mmCIF file of all heavy atoms in Angstrom:
data_model
loop_
_atom_site.group_PDB
_atom_site.id
_atom_site.type_symbol
_atom_site.label_atom_id
_atom_site.label_comp_id
_atom_site.label_asym_id
_atom_site.label_seq_id
_atom_site.Cartn_x
_atom_site.Cartn_y
_atom_site.Cartn_z
ATOM 1 N N GLU A 96 2.276 83.636 29.097
ATOM 2 C CA GLU A 96 3.000 82.544 29.751
ATOM 3 C C GLU A 96 4.229 82.143 28.941
ATOM 4 O O GLU A 96 5.302 81.870 29.511
ATOM 5 C CB GLU A 96 2.072 81.342 29.935
ATOM 6 C CG GLU A 96 0.961 81.569 30.954
ATOM 7 C CD GLU A 96 1.500 81.882 32.338
ATOM 8 O OE1 GLU A 96 2.512 81.260 32.744
ATOM 9 O OE2 GLU A 96 0.930 82.762 33.008
ATOM 10 N N ASP A 97 4.089 82.097 27.621
ATOM 11 C CA ASP A 97 5.234 81.763 26.761
ATOM 12 C C ASP A 97 6.342 82.804 26.898
ATOM 13 O O ASP A 97 7.538 82.465 26.961
ATOM 14 C CB ASP A 97 4.798 81.671 25.297
ATOM 15 C CG ASP A 97 3.855 80.501 25.052
ATOM 16 O OD1 ASP A 97 3.797 79.602 25.905
ATOM 17 O OD2 ASP A 97 3.164 80.508 24.001
ATOM 18 N N LYS A 98 5.946 84.064 26.958
ATOM 19 C CA LYS A 98 6.939 85.135 27.072
ATOM 20 C C LYS A 98 7.613 85.100 28.450
ATOM 21 O O LYS A 98 8.824 85.363 28.571
ATOM 22 C CB LYS A 98 6.265 86.479 26.837
ATOM 23 C CG LYS A 98 7.212 87.649 26.656
ATOM 24 C CD LYS A 98 8.148 87.459 25.490
ATOM 25 C CE LYS A 98 7.453 87.445 24.158
ATOM 26 N NZ LYS A 98 8.425 87.390 23.014
ATOM 27 N N LYS A 99 6.866 84.753 29.493
ATOM 28 C CA LYS A 99 7.456 84.629 30.837
ATOM 29 C C LYS A 99 8.469 83.490 30.882
ATOM 30 O O LYS A 99 9.524 83.600 31.515
ATOM 31 C CB LYS A 99 6.341 84.398 31.862
ATOM 32 C CG LYS A 99 5.530 85.634 32.163
ATOM 33 C CD LYS A 99 4.262 85.305 32.923
ATOM 34 C CE LYS A 99 4.555 84.772 34.303
ATOM 35 N NZ LYS A 99 3.299 84.519 35.066
ATOM 36 N N ALA A 100 8.169 82.393 30.195
ATOM 37 C CA ALA A 100 9.132 81.285 30.123
ATOM 38 C C ALA A 100 10.392 81.718 29.390
ATOM 39 O O ALA A 100 11.516 81.349 29.778
ATOM 40 C CB ALA A 100 8.488 80.092 29.420
ATOM 41 N N GLU A 101 10.212 82.516 28.338
ATOM 42 C CA GLU A 101 11.369 83.036 27.597
ATOM 43 C C GLU A 101 12.216 83.948 28.484
ATOM 44 O O GLU A 101 13.453 83.898 28.440
ATOM 45 C CB GLU A 101 10.872 83.794 26.364
ATOM 46 C CG GLU A 101 11.977 84.368 25.514
ATOM 47 C CD GLU A 101 11.454 85.185 24.345
ATOM 48 O OE1 GLU A 101 10.291 84.967 23.950
ATOM 49 O OE2 GLU A 101 12.201 86.046 23.835
ATOM 50 N N ILE A 102 11.556 84.772 29.302
ATOM 51 C CA ILE A 102 12.287 85.668 30.212
ATOM 52 C C ILE A 102 13.089 84.859 31.221
ATOM 53 O O ILE A 102 14.251 85.179 31.517
ATOM 54 C CB ILE A 102 11.297 86.604 30.927
ATOM 55 C CG1 ILE A 102 10.692 87.599 29.938
ATOM 56 C CG2 ILE A 102 11.990 87.361 32.054
ATOM 57 C CD1 ILE A 102 9.555 88.421 30.503
ATOM 58 N N ASP A 103 12.489 83.795 31.758
ATOM 59 C CA ASP A 103 13.188 82.945 32.723
ATOM 60 C C ASP A 103 14.430 82.321 32.092
ATOM 61 O O ASP A 103 15.507 82.244 32.723
ATOM 62 C CB ASP A 103 12.255 81.848 33.242
ATOM 63 C CG ASP A 103 11.149 82.405 34.129
ATOM 64 O OD1 ASP A 103 11.312 83.528 34.643
ATOM 65 O OD2 ASP A 103 10.114 81.719 34.299
ATOM 66 N N THR A 104 14.301 81.876 30.846
ATOM 67 C CA THR A 104 15.445 81.258 30.144
ATOM 68 C C THR A 104 16.554 82.282 29.918
ATOM 69 O O THR A 104 17.749 82.003 30.152
ATOM 70 C CB THR A 104 14.981 80.674 28.803
ATOM 71 O OG1 THR A 104 13.940 79.721 29.030
ATOM 72 C CG2 THR A 104 16.133 80.006 28.081
ATOM 73 N N LEU A 105 16.178 83.480 29.449
ATOM 74 C CA LEU A 105 17.167 84.532 29.208
ATOM 75 C C LEU A 105 17.867 84.954 30.499
ATOM 76 O O LEU A 105 19.085 85.176 30.520
ATOM 77 C CB LEU A 105 16.496 85.743 28.567
ATOM 78 C CG LEU A 105 16.027 85.580 27.111
ATOM 79 C CD1 LEU A 105 15.204 86.780 26.680
ATOM 80 C CD2 LEU A 105 17.234 85.412 26.190
ATOM 81 N N ALA A 106 17.096 85.041 31.581
ATOM 82 C CA ALA A 106 17.677 85.431 32.867
ATOM 83 C C ALA A 106 18.659 84.369 33.367
ATOM 84 O O ALA A 106 19.749 84.694 33.886
ATOM 85 C CB ALA A 106 16.572 85.647 33.894
ATOM 86 N N ALA A 107 18.272 83.087 33.205
ATOM 87 C CA ALA A 107 19.168 82.007 33.636
ATOM 88 C C ALA A 107 20.456 82.013 32.814
ATOM 89 O O ALA A 107 21.568 81.813 33.358
ATOM 90 C CB ALA A 107 18.452 80.663 33.500
ATOM 91 N N GLU A 108 20.344 82.232 31.510
ATOM 92 C CA GLU A 108 21.539 82.297 30.650
ATOM 93 C C GLU A 108 22.438 83.463 31.046
ATOM 94 O O GLU A 108 23.672 83.335 31.052
ATOM 95 C CB GLU A 108 21.113 82.431 29.190
ATOM 96 C CG GLU A 108 20.453 81.185 28.608
ATOM 97 C CD GLU A 108 19.963 81.411 27.199
ATOM 98 O OE1 GLU A 108 20.085 82.569 26.704
ATOM 99 O OE2 GLU A 108 19.441 80.462 26.587
ATOM 100 N N TYR A 109 21.814 84.595 31.366
ATOM 101 C CA TYR A 109 22.592 85.775 31.737
ATOM 102 C C TYR A 109 23.363 85.529 33.035
ATOM 103 O O TYR A 109 24.555 85.853 33.137
ATOM 104 C CB TYR A 109 21.666 86.975 31.888
ATOM 105 C CG TYR A 109 22.382 88.254 32.245
ATOM 106 C CD1 TYR A 109 23.032 89.001 31.262
ATOM 107 C CD2 TYR A 109 22.417 88.707 33.563
ATOM 108 C CE1 TYR A 109 23.697 90.167 31.589
ATOM 109 C CE2 TYR A 109 23.081 89.878 33.895
ATOM 110 C CZ TYR A 109 23.714 90.603 32.911
ATOM 111 O OH TYR A 109 24.390 91.770 33.240
ATOM 112 N N ILE A 110 22.682 84.970 34.035
ATOM 113 C CA ILE A 110 23.333 84.719 35.324
ATOM 114 C C ILE A 110 24.469 83.707 35.171
ATOM 115 O O ILE A 110 25.530 83.833 35.800
ATOM 116 C CB ILE A 110 22.288 84.213 36.348
ATOM 117 C CG1 ILE A 110 21.291 85.327 36.657
ATOM 118 C CG2 ILE A 110 22.969 83.738 37.631
ATOM 119 C CD1 ILE A 110 20.124 84.877 37.515
ATOM 120 N N GLU A 111 24.268 82.716 34.312
ATOM 121 C CA GLU A 111 25.266 81.655 34.145
ATOM 122 C C GLU A 111 26.535 82.137 33.442
ATOM 123 O O GLU A 111 27.640 81.727 33.780
ATOM 124 C CB GLU A 111 24.642 80.495 33.361
ATOM 125 C CG GLU A 111 25.549 79.292 33.203
ATOM 126 C CD GLU A 111 24.883 78.172 32.443
ATOM 127 O OE1 GLU A 111 23.655 78.260 32.208
ATOM 128 O OE2 GLU A 111 25.575 77.201 32.076
ATOM 129 N N SER A 112 26.371 83.016 32.462
ATOM 130 C CA SER A 112 27.529 83.406 31.655
ATOM 131 C C SER A 112 27.870 84.888 31.732
ATOM 132 O O SER A 112 28.622 85.391 30.895
ATOM 133 C CB SER A 112 27.292 83.000 30.196
ATOM 134 O OG SER A 112 26.024 83.399 29.761
ATOM 135 N N VAL A 113 27.336 85.616 32.732
ATOM 136 C CA VAL A 113 27.599 87.053 32.804
ATOM 137 C C VAL A 113 29.085 87.348 33.056
ATOM 138 O O VAL A 113 29.629 88.355 32.580
ATOM 139 C CB VAL A 113 26.737 87.699 33.904
ATOM 140 C CG1 VAL A 113 27.071 87.147 35.274
ATOM 141 C CG2 VAL A 113 26.876 89.228 33.869
ATOM 142 N N LYS A 114 29.751 86.457 33.795
ATOM 143 C CA LYS A 114 31.168 86.701 34.111
ATOM 144 C C LYS A 114 32.044 86.628 32.868
ATOM 145 O O LYS A 114 33.088 87.285 32.806
ATOM 146 C CB LYS A 114 31.652 85.670 35.134
ATOM 147 C CG LYS A 114 30.980 85.813 36.492
ATOM 148 C CD LYS A 114 31.518 84.776 37.456
ATOM 149 C CE LYS A 114 30.871 84.918 38.829
ATOM 150 N NZ LYS A 114 31.359 83.894 39.792
ATOM 151 N N ASN A 115 31.649 85.845 31.888
ATOM 152 C CA ASN A 115 32.453 85.676 30.677
ATOM 153 C C ASN A 115 32.004 86.585 29.530
ATOM 154 O O ASN A 115 32.562 86.507 28.437
ATOM 155 C CB ASN A 115 32.381 84.218 30.211
ATOM 156 C CG ASN A 115 32.882 83.260 31.278
ATOM 157 O OD1 ASN A 115 33.833 83.570 32.009
ATOM 158 N ND2 ASN A 115 32.244 82.083 31.373
ATOM 159 N N MET A 116 31.020 87.400 29.759
ATOM 160 C CA MET A 116 30.504 88.272 28.701
ATOM 161 C C MET A 116 31.265 89.582 28.626
ATOM 162 O O MET A 116 31.729 90.112 29.649
ATOM 163 C CB MET A 116 29.021 88.595 28.950
ATOM 164 C CG MET A 116 28.074 87.463 28.668
ATOM 165 S SD MET A 116 26.351 88.019 28.910
ATOM 166 C CE MET A 116 25.461 86.535 28.476
ATOM 167 N N LEU A 117 31.346 90.088 27.415
ATOM 168 C CA LEU A 117 31.886 91.428 27.224
ATOM 169 C C LEU A 117 30.807 92.445 27.594
ATOM 170 O O LEU A 117 29.611 92.130 27.600
ATOM 171 C CB LEU A 117 32.303 91.613 25.767
ATOM 172 C CG LEU A 117 33.452 90.711 25.266
ATOM 173 C CD1 LEU A 117 33.650 90.896 23.773
ATOM 174 C CD2 LEU A 117 34.743 91.028 26.022
ATOM 175 N N PRO A 118 31.182 93.678 27.895
ATOM 176 C CA PRO A 118 30.179 94.697 28.250
ATOM 177 C C PRO A 118 29.088 94.852 27.192
ATOM 178 O O PRO A 118 27.903 95.012 27.514
ATOM 179 C CB PRO A 118 31.009 95.976 28.386
ATOM 180 C CG PRO A 118 32.364 95.487 28.775
ATOM 181 C CD PRO A 118 32.553 94.185 28.044
ATOM 182 N N GLU A 119 29.511 94.773 25.899
ATOM 183 C CA GLU A 119 28.516 94.926 24.840
ATOM 184 C C GLU A 119 27.519 93.764 24.835
ATOM 185 O O GLU A 119 26.328 93.928 24.589
ATOM 186 C CB GLU A 119 29.208 95.019 23.470
ATOM 187 C CG GLU A 119 30.075 96.258 23.274
ATOM 188 C CD GLU A 119 31.461 96.092 23.906
ATOM 189 O OE1 GLU A 119 31.748 94.990 24.452
ATOM 190 O OE2 GLU A 119 32.244 97.053 23.874
ATOM 191 N N GLU A 120 28.052 92.555 25.106
ATOM 192 C CA GLU A 120 27.193 91.376 25.130
ATOM 193 C C GLU A 120 26.208 91.435 26.303
ATOM 194 O O GLU A 120 25.051 91.019 26.179
ATOM 195 C CB GLU A 120 28.042 90.112 25.232
ATOM 196 C CG GLU A 120 28.883 89.840 23.991
ATOM 197 C CD GLU A 120 29.779 88.636 24.154
ATOM 198 O OE1 GLU A 120 30.097 88.270 25.312
ATOM 199 O OE2 GLU A 120 30.161 88.042 23.122
ATOM 200 N N ARG A 121 26.673 91.954 27.439
ATOM 201 C CA ARG A 121 25.788 92.098 28.597
ATOM 202 C C ARG A 121 24.643 93.051 28.274
ATOM 203 O O ARG A 121 23.461 92.754 28.581
ATOM 204 C CB ARG A 121 26.559 92.635 29.802
ATOM 205 C CG ARG A 121 27.598 91.678 30.355
ATOM 206 C CD ARG A 121 28.316 92.312 31.524
ATOM 207 N NE ARG A 121 29.384 91.449 32.041
ATOM 208 C CZ ARG A 121 30.193 91.788 33.035
ATOM 209 N NH1 ARG A 121 30.080 92.984 33.623
ATOM 210 N NH2 ARG A 121 31.131 90.934 33.446
ATOM 211 N N VAL A 122 24.981 94.176 27.645
ATOM 212 C CA VAL A 122 23.957 95.152 27.288
ATOM 213 C C VAL A 122 22.951 94.549 26.311
ATOM 214 O O VAL A 122 21.730 94.714 26.447
ATOM 215 C CB VAL A 122 24.598 96.416 26.689
ATOM 216 C CG1 VAL A 122 23.526 97.353 26.138
ATOM 217 C CG2 VAL A 122 25.446 97.145 27.723
ATOM 218 N N GLU A 123 23.482 93.812 25.329
ATOM 219 C CA GLU A 123 22.607 93.199 24.338
ATOM 220 C C GLU A 123 21.674 92.168 24.979
ATOM 221 O O GLU A 123 20.475 92.106 24.664
ATOM 222 C CB GLU A 123 23.465 92.526 23.259
ATOM 223 C CG GLU A 123 22.668 91.992 22.080
ATOM 224 C CD GLU A 123 22.032 93.100 21.254
ATOM 225 O OE1 GLU A 123 22.545 94.246 21.270
ATOM 226 O OE2 GLU A 123 20.993 92.828 20.604
ATOM 227 N N HIS A 124 22.194 91.388 25.904
ATOM 228 C CA HIS A 124 21.379 90.369 26.569
ATOM 229 C C HIS A 124 20.307 91.013 27.457
ATOM 230 O O HIS A 124 19.157 90.556 27.496
ATOM 231 C CB HIS A 124 22.281 89.457 27.408
ATOM 232 C CG HIS A 124 21.698 88.107 27.652
ATOM 233 N ND1 HIS A 124 21.908 87.029 26.816
ATOM 234 C CD2 HIS A 124 20.866 87.657 28.626
ATOM 235 C CE1 HIS A 124 21.246 85.981 27.275
ATOM 236 N NE2 HIS A 124 20.612 86.346 28.377
ATOM 237 N N LEU A 125 20.696 92.060 28.160
ATOM 238 C CA LEU A 125 19.728 92.762 29.013
ATOM 239 C C LEU A 125 18.628 93.422 28.185
ATOM 240 O O LEU A 125 17.476 93.497 28.616
ATOM 241 C CB LEU A 125 20.456 93.808 29.864
ATOM 242 C CG LEU A 125 21.344 93.258 30.994
ATOM 243 C CD1 LEU A 125 22.128 94.384 31.664
ATOM 244 C CD2 LEU A 125 20.480 92.537 32.030
ATOM 245 N N LYS A 126 18.989 93.885 26.994
ATOM 246 C CA LYS A 126 17.986 94.472 26.112
ATOM 247 C C LYS A 126 16.959 93.427 25.674
ATOM 248 O O LYS A 126 15.760 93.718 25.560
ATOM 249 C CB LYS A 126 18.659 95.094 24.881
ATOM 250 C CG LYS A 126 19.314 96.433 25.148
ATOM 251 C CD LYS A 126 19.890 97.025 23.867
ATOM 252 C CE LYS A 126 20.513 98.388 24.125
ATOM 253 N NZ LYS A 126 21.073 98.984 22.874
ATOM 254 N N LYS A 127 17.446 92.181 25.430
ATOM 255 C CA LYS A 127 16.522 91.105 25.070
ATOM 256 C C LYS A 127 15.538 90.827 26.205
ATOM 257 O O LYS A 127 14.343 90.647 25.982
ATOM 258 C CB LYS A 127 17.308 89.836 24.736
ATOM 259 C CG LYS A 127 18.067 89.890 23.422
ATOM 260 C CD LYS A 127 18.774 88.565 23.168
ATOM 261 C CE LYS A 127 19.545 88.605 21.851
ATOM 262 N NZ LYS A 127 20.264 87.312 21.604
ATOM 263 N N ILE A 128 16.085 90.807 27.437
ATOM 264 C CA ILE A 128 15.214 90.572 28.595
ATOM 265 C C ILE A 128 14.208 91.709 28.757
ATOM 266 O O ILE A 128 13.020 91.487 29.003
ATOM 267 C CB ILE A 128 16.052 90.403 29.874
ATOM 268 C CG1 ILE A 128 16.931 89.157 29.775
ATOM 269 C CG2 ILE A 128 15.149 90.318 31.109
ATOM 270 C CD1 ILE A 128 17.868 88.966 30.943
ATOM 271 N N GLN A 129 14.690 92.941 28.586
ATOM 272 C CA GLN A 129 13.806 94.094 28.709
ATOM 273 C C GLN A 129 12.723 94.083 27.631
ATOM 274 O O GLN A 129 11.548 94.397 27.899
ATOM 275 C CB GLN A 129 14.620 95.380 28.623
ATOM 276 C CG GLN A 129 13.793 96.642 28.850
ATOM 277 C CD GLN A 129 14.651 97.901 28.816
ATOM 278 O OE1 GLN A 129 15.853 97.843 28.511
ATOM 279 N NE2 GLN A 129 14.058 99.026 29.122
ATOM 280 N N SER A 130 13.104 93.708 26.406
ATOM 281 C CA SER A 130 12.138 93.638 25.313
ATOM 282 C C SER A 130 11.074 92.573 25.592
ATOM 283 O O SER A 130 9.880 92.779 25.319
ATOM 284 C CB SER A 130 12.870 93.322 24.005
ATOM 285 O OG SER A 130 11.952 93.156 22.948
ATOM 286 N N ALA A 131 11.503 91.440 26.170
ATOM 287 C CA ALA A 131 10.553 90.386 26.499
ATOM 288 C C ALA A 131 9.593 90.851 27.591
ATOM 289 O O ALA A 131 8.386 90.555 27.542
ATOM 290 C CB ALA A 131 11.302 89.125 26.944
ATOM 291 N N TYR A 132 10.110 91.578 28.580
ATOM 292 C CA TYR A 132 9.242 92.128 29.633
ATOM 293 C C TYR A 132 8.233 93.114 29.044
ATOM 294 O O TYR A 132 7.052 93.131 29.429
ATOM 295 C CB TYR A 132 10.086 92.822 30.701
ATOM 296 C CG TYR A 132 10.458 91.938 31.864
ATOM 297 C CD1 TYR A 132 11.797 91.643 32.133
ATOM 298 C CD2 TYR A 132 9.477 91.400 32.701
ATOM 299 C CE1 TYR A 132 12.148 90.824 33.201
ATOM 300 C CE2 TYR A 132 9.829 90.590 33.769
ATOM 301 C CZ TYR A 132 11.152 90.300 34.018
ATOM 302 O OH TYR A 132 11.481 89.490 35.065
ATOM 303 N N SER A 133 8.679 93.954 28.127
ATOM 304 C CA SER A 133 7.778 94.937 27.503
ATOM 305 C C SER A 133 6.671 94.242 26.725
ATOM 306 O O SER A 133 5.498 94.650 26.773
ATOM 307 C CB SER A 133 8.571 95.851 26.566
ATOM 308 O OG SER A 133 9.553 96.585 27.271
ATOM 309 N N LYS A 134 7.042 93.162 26.014
ATOM 310 C CA LYS A 134 6.040 92.414 25.259
ATOM 311 C C LYS A 134 5.059 91.739 26.195
ATOM 312 O O LYS A 134 3.835 91.707 25.936
ATOM 313 C CB LYS A 134 6.742 91.361 24.393
ATOM 314 C CG LYS A 134 5.931 90.928 23.186
ATOM 315 C CD LYS A 134 5.784 92.073 22.198
ATOM 316 C CE LYS A 134 4.993 91.646 20.973
ATOM 317 N NZ LYS A 134 4.769 92.780 20.048
ATOM 318 N N CYS A 135 5.556 91.221 27.311
ATOM 319 C CA CYS A 135 4.690 90.573 28.300
ATOM 320 C C CYS A 135 3.695 91.578 28.883
ATOM 321 O O CYS A 135 2.513 91.267 29.052
ATOM 322 C CB CYS A 135 5.559 89.964 29.401
ATOM 323 S SG CYS A 135 4.674 88.882 30.531
ATOM 324 N N LYS A 136 4.175 92.788 29.179
ATOM 325 C CA LYS A 136 3.299 93.842 29.697
ATOM 326 C C LYS A 136 2.264 94.249 28.649
ATOM 327 O O LYS A 136 1.092 94.507 28.974
ATOM 328 C CB LYS A 136 4.121 95.054 30.115
ATOM 329 C CG LYS A 136 3.296 96.181 30.720
ATOM 330 C CD LYS A 136 4.184 97.332 31.136
ATOM 331 C CE LYS A 136 3.354 98.451 31.768
ATOM 332 N NZ LYS A 136 2.343 98.991 30.859
#
């Protein structure tokens, strides 16, 4: 449940600031979300 809450927060941050992110920052943020999903699984 804690990890799912973390995923929700990361996803909300990504959607809010994706337009202002550099390509590298987008990749890094998506990797964090993917890592959180892997840990949740």
Side-chain angles (χ1 to χ4, degrees):
E96 291 300 321
D97 294 343
K98 191 59 66 174
K99 286 167 66 177
E101 180 183 338
I102 291 171
D103 291 340
T104 302
L105 289 172
E108 291 176 357
Y109 181 80
I110 293 173
E111 184 179 350
S112 48
V113 62
K114 294 181 179 179
N115 301 324
M116 286 183 179
L117 296 174
E119 295 82 2
E120 293 176 337
R121 293 179 183 178
V122 172
E123 187 67 25
H124 204 90
L125 289 174
K126 283 183 178 180
K127 288 182 180 179
I128 296 176
Q129 184 178 6
S130 176
Y132 267 117
S133 298
K134 204 67 179 176
C135 190
K136 182 179 181 300

